[in-house]
Amino acid sequence: MKIVTTVEELRDQLSGQLRTAFVPTMGNLHEGHLSLMRLARKHGDPVVASIFVNRLQFGPNEDFEKYPRTFNADVEKLEKEGVYVLFAPTEKDLYPEPQEFRVRPPDGLGNTLEGEFRPGFFSGVTTVVLKLFSCVQPRVAVFGKKDYQQLMIVRNMCRQFALPTSIIAAETWRADDGLALSSRNMYLSPEERAEAPQLYQALNFVAEEVRQGHKDVFSLEHKAMDTLTQRGWKPDYISIRKQIDLQPPTAGDMAEGAPLVVLAAAKLGTTRLIDNLEI
């Protein structure tokens, strides 16, 4: 595996490649990330990964400085997965001057759910993704469904900008007890880690109620949030949305059985976890 840090080195390595498959990450890789590499290999060659902790998507009171950085261990894992190039730029490499041009997702998609609780987050995400796509110029890129809203925003951005990159969605990788794998799971204490699967259980409760014909979205959402609150969580949202545009379903949508997804974000101790489940 070749490790490059500059855009010039990256383009030299990928010169003439027309089927590049790309997986952008912020490092601290776990089995969920590695499953993205395997999926990428099925859709293109060579496989390129990036590791870059993107300051633009962190709010002023978030965990940019303490975000786990495990570069040497990450390199070993990527080598075992047969990744061809690892692009690991420094901030100066990727942002040699202040990144004053930004991508802003539409308000209806970018300012709801995660966007409501993390203002500016999706602008930071889409700006760095667009820049990484410009550097790598992949034919396909793989994103996990765990970050469901991010996946949709990136996919819509590619379509509206007519980017020559197809977005492949990867299923959420879970531990045996159902907890979605996340780099931030390492913040959990042993007691919190034992409690953490309850977020997925809350999603399953909502999904099963909808499948059984329960159509009162508001009451379902609040019941699930109340259950978590009683267990010591601080939920930001548990929300049923339409898969197609992440807007709240109407009574007609519910009656017609429109494809739905229930999304959640909640703090357990000081750790904020997100998850979702398609219905």
Side-chain angles (χ1 to χ4, degrees), residues 22 134 191 197 206 227:
F22 179 45
S134 177
E191 295 76 16
V206 173
T227 298

Side-chain angles (χ1 to χ4, degrees), residues 211-223:
R211 294 187 190 107
Q212 295 295 327
H214 194 139
K215 294 181 172 57
D216 188 341
V217 169
F218 184 81
S219 69
L220 277 180
E221 293 170 345
H222 278 262
K223 185 173 182 180

Side-chain angles (χ1 to χ4, degrees), residues 2 5 31 34 43 45 55 94 134 138 165 206 239 266:
K2 299 173 177 64
T5 60
E31 190 60 31
L34 302 183
H43 291 273
D45 180 62
R55 187 186 298 270
L94 200 60
S134 177
T165 301
V206 173
S239 187

Side-chain angles (χ1 to χ4, degrees), residues 3-44:
I3 302 174
V4 299
T5 60
T6 70
V7 176
E8 292 75 17
E9 290 175 306
L10 177 68
R11 288 177 173 162
D12 284 345
Q13 288 294 333
L14 297 179
S15 177
Q17 299 286 357
L18 300 177
R19 299 185 62 251
T20 300
F22 179 45
V23 184
T25 83
M26 293 205 302
N28 193 34
L29 304 182
H30 51 65
E31 190 60 31
H33 292 111
L34 302 183
S35 72
L36 304 185
M37 309 299 164
R38 297 169 202 141
L39 182 58
R41 192 178 302 110
K42 294 180 180 179
H43 291 273

